[in-house]
Amino acid sequence: MAQVPQTFFDALAVRTWCGLALETLGRAREEIDAINVYPVADGDTGTNLYLTVESAVAAVEAVFAGHAARSGPEGPTLADAVRAMAHGALIGARGNSGTILAQLLRGMAQVLAEGGTAQAGGESAQADGRGLRLALRHAADSARQAVAHPVEGTVLTVASAAADAADAACGAEGDCGTVARAAYQGARAALAATPGQLPVLERAGVVDAGGRGLVAVLGALVETFTGERPREVAVSVTAGALRVGAGPASAVVSEAGVPGALAAGDTGAPHARVVPGQADGSAAGVLAGPAGDSQDLYADVRGPHARVEAAEGLAPAVGAPRGECADTAAVADEDGPAFEVIYLLEAEDAAVARLRERLDALGDSLVVVGGDGLWNVHVHVDDAGGAVEAGIEAGRPYRIRITHFGAGDVHTTGAERPPRERAQRAVVAVVPGEGLAGLYTEAGATTVLARPGEPPASGELVQAVRRAHAREVVLLPNDAELRHTAAAAAEQARTEGIRVALIPTRSAVQGIAALAVHEPERRFDEDVVSMTSAAGATRYAEVTVAERQAWTMAGICQAGDVLGLIDGDVAVIGSDVTATAEAVLDRMLAAGGEMVTLVLGDEAPDTIAEHLEGRVREGYLAVDTVVYRGGRQGALLLIGVE
C-alpha cells in the first residue's frame, strides 16, 4: 500500500509500520517457514511471526478506532499506539520466534512511550532518531534477557547487530529514516553470518528463520520512514558459503511468495516462479491472497490462470537435489523435547522468577516475556503437563497451546518403534457423497464427507490433514461456503508444522479437475499452480429442487421447481429435471469446452446421463463426456465443463 513517509515516530508511524510489517511477512512467510530448522525444524517460523504481528496490528487498529469513536479527529498518542502494539504482540505471540519478537516490540514500546517529545497531556507525541536508536537497543537487550540460554546465530544476534549498527552509523541528530536504514543493513549483514555461528544452519544451507523474519520487519520500518521498500532478502549459495543478496531473483521470490524458493544467486538449476496476475484479472491472486486470507496459499479459480515460468539465477540450497530445497526435517534434533508449550500467564514478578527456574529444569528453548502482571511463556518439554502445572503454581495460565513436534511417541514413552514416515505430499478433499468419496480415494486423496445440511467443521478438516500424514497438503474444500472453515483448518495445521496450500474449489467437479493433474513428484508450488489452473478452467453447475419460494437471478421460483445453478447462481428454472439439465449444459458449452463431467445423485432420473451424453455428441464436436455416480450428494446432478 502506498504510504506517506513519516519523519518522526508518532502514532501514525506505529500504525503504518505494523501494517507494512504484516504485508512483508505475508509475502515472505512461506520462504521463512521453509528455512526453519532451529531450534526445531517444524516449518512454522514465518507463520508464527505473521500471526504475532497480525495480533499487534489488530490491537493498534482497535486503539485508533476507539479514539475515533470517542474523540473525533484527535488520534491516539505515541504511547497509546506502542503500548497497544506491544500488548497485541504479547497476547498473540506464536512459537519461539514470535515470542521473542513480542519482547522486541515490548522493549521498543517501553522507550518510545516514555522518551518521546511530550505534548500537552504529558504523553509522548513523537520520537526522533535518537529515541528510535534507544528503542532498538533496549529491545535487543530485553529480548536477550527473556531467553533462558541465548544462542548466537539466531534472531537475538540479528537484533543486537541492528542496534549496534544504528548506534555506530547515526549521530545524535540522525533522523528516524537514517536510523532505520542503518539498523536494517546491520541486521542483513548479521543474518548472512548466522550459518557460520550455528552448525545446524550451516548443515541445512540456510540462514536463521527468525532472523530472516526480523530483517523483514526492519525493512518495513525503513519503508515507514522513507517511503522506499528495501528489496527483499533471499539466501544465496556461492562457493559453499552463504550470503544475503537482494537482486532481481530475490524480488521474484518475494513477489509471488513462492514456497520453498530459498536461494537466489548466479548458479544452479532454475526454480519456478508464479507469474503475477495481469491488470485484467487474467491470473488473479495465484499463491497470494487478499488480506483477509493472507494466512493461506490462496488462489482465485474464477478466471484464466497463471503460468509457471523458470526464474533465472535461482539456485538450490546447499546439499539439496537440483531444483529442490533443503530437507529441513533432516536436521531436526531427534533427541529434543517432544512438546512445545505456550500460555499466557497472570502472575507477579517473584512468581515468574521461580517459574523460569522450574521450566528451565524441565526443558529447553525457554522464553518468558512480558511484565506488569501479564506474561507469555514458551518452552519445549517432554512433560507438557508439568510445564502447565508450573504455570498454575505461579499464577493463572490461560490460552494454553500444546503442540507435539512428531507423529510418533518415542520422546514421551521411550518406545523403540520409530514413528511412521510421513508422505511428502497429500490431497485432502471435502466431498458431498459416498460415490465421490470413493472416486477421490481411488485417486489417492484423503476425504471428508459433507452430508447434505451437515458441513464439516474446521476440526474435522484438521483431523483429515493429520490423517493424511504428509509434510505438504493440498486442501480442496469443494464448496464456496467452506472457504473460511478450510482457511481456519489450514492455519491450525500449519501450527503443527504441516505445509498447507488451500485451493478454494467451489464444487466437487472443480476438485476432480484439480486432482486429475496432481503430480506429487513436482515441486509443491508448481503442483499447486497446476491444480489451481485446472480447477479454474472448470465451470461448474448443479441441478437441484427448490425447497421454498424465493427470488433468484432467473426470477421467482416456487417450492418443487427444478433449478439449474451455474457458478453458484440460478440460471434456469424449470419443471423437468432432464430438460433443465440440458438447458444448463447448453449455456455452459456455448462458451466452449473440451470435457464435460457429470456426477449423478441417487435421485437423478435413470436416463439423464444417456440423454446428456447424446446431446453432447450431437451438438458439440470434439467434446468428451465422463459420468460418475455421486451417491447421496444433495444435488440431483453436478456438471463440470473444462
Side-chain angles (χ1 to χ4, degrees), residues 158 161 165 182-195 197 215 233 243-244:
V158 175
Y184 175 74
Q185 294 298 335
R188 278 185 44 165
L191 177 65
T194 55
Q197 297 170 294
V215 169
V233 175
R243 62 183 174 84
V244 174

Side-chain angles (χ1 to χ4, degrees), residues 380-466:
H380 294 172
V381 293
D382 281 327
D383 184 3
V388 175
E389 289 173 3
I392 294 173
E393 291 181 6
R396 187 179 77 87
Y398 61 104
R399 291 195 187 179
I400 300 168
R401 294 194 298 272
I402 300 174
T403 303
H404 198 301
F405 286 128
D409 55 3
V410 174
H411 288 321
T412 54
T413 67
E416 296 181 0
R417 178 181 57 83
R420 179 167 61 94
E421 179 66 22
R422 285 185 179 272
Q424 181 59 33
R425 189 171 311 155
V427 176
V428 173
V430 180
V431 291
E434 294 86 348
L436 280 178
L439 174 67
Y440 273 75
T441 301
E442 288 177 9
T446 299
T447 61
V448 178
L449 190 62
R451 296 176 176 83
E454 299 179 17
S458 62
E460 293 178 73
L461 299 187
V462 172
Q463 289 295 336
V465 171
R466 292 170 181 155

Side-chain angles (χ1 to χ4, degrees), residues 343 345-360 366 368-369 371-377 387-397:
Y343 49 80
L345 177 70
E346 293 179 354
E348 299 297 327
D349 291 5
V352 171
R354 293 191 296 271
L355 174 67
R356 288 178 190 268
E357 294 179 3
R358 180 166 177 183
L359 292 180
D360 192 24
L366 173 60
V368 181
V369 304
D372 301 320
L374 180 62
W375 308 82
N376 191 306
V377 179
V388 175
E389 289 173 3
I392 294 173
E393 291 181 6
R396 187 179 77 87

Side-chain angles (χ1 to χ4, degrees), residues 42-433:
D42 48 356
D44 62 358
T45 292
T47 298
N48 287 339
L49 290 170
Y50 180 90
L51 294 173
T52 301
V53 173
E54 186 177 50
S55 182
V57 168
V60 172
E61 290 300 322
V63 165
F64 271 85
H67 274 263
R70 295 191 305 269
S71 309
E74 292 294 329
T77 65
L78 172 61
D80 292 332
V82 293
R83 286 169 181 158
M85 172 188 71
H87 181 74
L90 178 67
I91 64 174
R94 301 288 189 96
N96 190 71
S97 294
T99 307
I100 293 174
L101 178 61
Q103 185 65 12
L104 287 167
L105 296 179
R106 177 179 171 81
M108 292 187 69
Q110 288 173 327
V111 172
L112 293 171
E114 300 171 2
T117 303
Q119 63 179 12
E123 292 282 16
S124 298
Q126 61 187 26
D128 57 12
R130 178 179 178 276
L132 179 55
R133 287 194 296 112
L134 293 174
L136 290 168
R137 169 54 60 199
H138 185 63
D141 292 345
S142 62
R144 191 171 286 269
Q145 292 167 6
V147 177
H149 302 284
V151 174
E152 297 306 324
T154 65
V155 63
L156 298 175
T157 305
V158 175
S160 294
D164 291 343
D167 284 337
C170 307
E173 302 303 320
D175 61 30
C176 288
T178 304
V179 173
R181 278 197 187 97
Y184 175 74
Q185 294 298 335
R188 278 185 44 165
L191 177 65
T194 55
Q197 297 170 294
L198 205 53
V200 67
L201 301 178
E202 188 173 26
R203 289 196 300 271
V206 297
V207 295
D208 179 65
R212 170 68 181 88
L214 179 58
V215 169
V217 172
L218 291 173
L221 188 65
V222 173
E223 186 175 357
T224 298
F225 292 116
T226 67
E228 301 172 1
R229 177 187 297 175
R231 282 191 283 180
E232 303 211 12
V233 175
V235 180
S236 181
V237 182
T238 304
L242 285 157
R243 62 183 174 84
V244 174
S250 63
V252 170
V253 172
S254 62
E255 178 182 41
V258 177
L262 308 183
D266 302 321
T267 61
H271 278 57
R273 69 180 173 94
V274 180
V275 178
Q278 306 300 317
D280 62 359
S282 62
V286 174
L287 294 180
D293 298 294
S294 53
Q295 69 271 29
D296 299 305
L297 272 170
Y298 178 86
D300 192 334
V301 298
R302 288 173 291 185
H305 316 291
R307 65 190 186 278
V308 176
E309 295 186 348
E312 296 180 359
L314 292 180
V318 172
R322 283 289 190 185
E324 301 270 333
C325 298
D327 182 2
T328 56
V331 297
D333 181 1
E334 296 180 356
D335 296 324
F339 297 97
E340 177 184 59
V341 178
I342 303 175
Y343 49 80
L344 292 177
L345 177 70
E346 293 179 354
E348 299 297 327
D349 291 5
V352 171
R354 293 191 296 271
L355 174 67
R356 288 178 190 268
E357 294 179 3
R358 180 166 177 183
L359 292 180
D360 192 24
L362 281 177
D364 59 29
S365 296
L366 173 60
V367 185
V368 181
V369 304
D372 301 320
L374 180 62
W375 308 82
N376 191 306
V377 179
H378 170 280
V379 67
H380 294 172
V381 293
D382 281 327
D383 184 3
V388 175
E389 289 173 3
I392 294 173
E393 291 181 6
R396 187 179 77 87
Y398 61 104
R399 291 195 187 179
I400 300 168
R401 294 194 298 272
I402 300 174
T403 303
H404 198 301
F405 286 128
D409 55 3
V410 174
H411 288 321
T412 54
T413 67
E416 296 181 0
R417 178 181 57 83
R420 179 167 61 94
E421 179 66 22
R422 285 185 179 272
Q424 181 59 33
R425 189 171 311 155
V427 176
V428 173
V430 180
V431 291

